[in-house]
């Protein structure tokens, strides 16, 4: 069983809210500070354009390169609940 859980639009560690999702942005805790934004298959830092990682098929790749950092199976093993690239973005920030 994973330590983290996606509960609606929130990532929780036990009962503590670690992150929340609003639109295409992942925000810290229950607040409004944007950690990353999602555009297509790319996750970008904060509200900017610097690419942290991209999702290519089932692989998470660093920046815009082809250097594999994880697979979606790794993400699903660490975080319970539904999700795709948004769940991968939360994994990148809090689990990795």
């Amino acid at each position: 069983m994973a330590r983290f859980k996606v509960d609606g639009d929130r990532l929780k560690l036990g009962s503590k809210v670690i992150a929340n999702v609003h639109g295409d942005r992942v925000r810290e805790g229950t607040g409004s500070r944007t950690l990353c934004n999602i555009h297509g298959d790319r996750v970008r830092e904060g509200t900017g354009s610097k690419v942290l990682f991209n999702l290519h098929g089932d692989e998470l790749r660093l920046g815009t390169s082809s250097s594999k950092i994880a697979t979606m199976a790794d993400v699903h093993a660490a975080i319970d609940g539904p999700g795709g690239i948004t769940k991968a973005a939360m994994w990148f920030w809090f689990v990795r």
Side-chain angles (χ1 to χ4, degrees), residues 29-84:
T30 57
S32 60
R33 181 174 158 247
T34 301
L35 299 174
C36 61
N37 69 82
I38 301 163
H39 186 74
D41 64 347
R42 296 180 177 190
V43 174
R44 302 168 189 252
E45 185 174 19
T47 57
S49 60
K50 179 184 175 192
V51 177
L52 297 171
F53 73 90
N54 68 84
L55 183 63
H56 183 76
D58 195 37
E59 295 181 346
L60 279 68
R61 297 178 175 187
L62 193 58
T64 57
S65 73
S66 60
S67 300
K68 181 177 136 181
I69 55 175
T71 64
M72 284 304 290
D74 300 329
V75 173
H76 294 306
I79 302 175
D80 285 336

Side-chain angles (χ1 to χ4, degrees), residues 18-33:
I18 304 296
N20 71 84
V21 178
H22 190 273
D24 65 346
R25 298 180 180 198
V26 176
R27 299 174 182 211
E28 187 174 38
T30 57
S32 60
R33 181 174 158 247

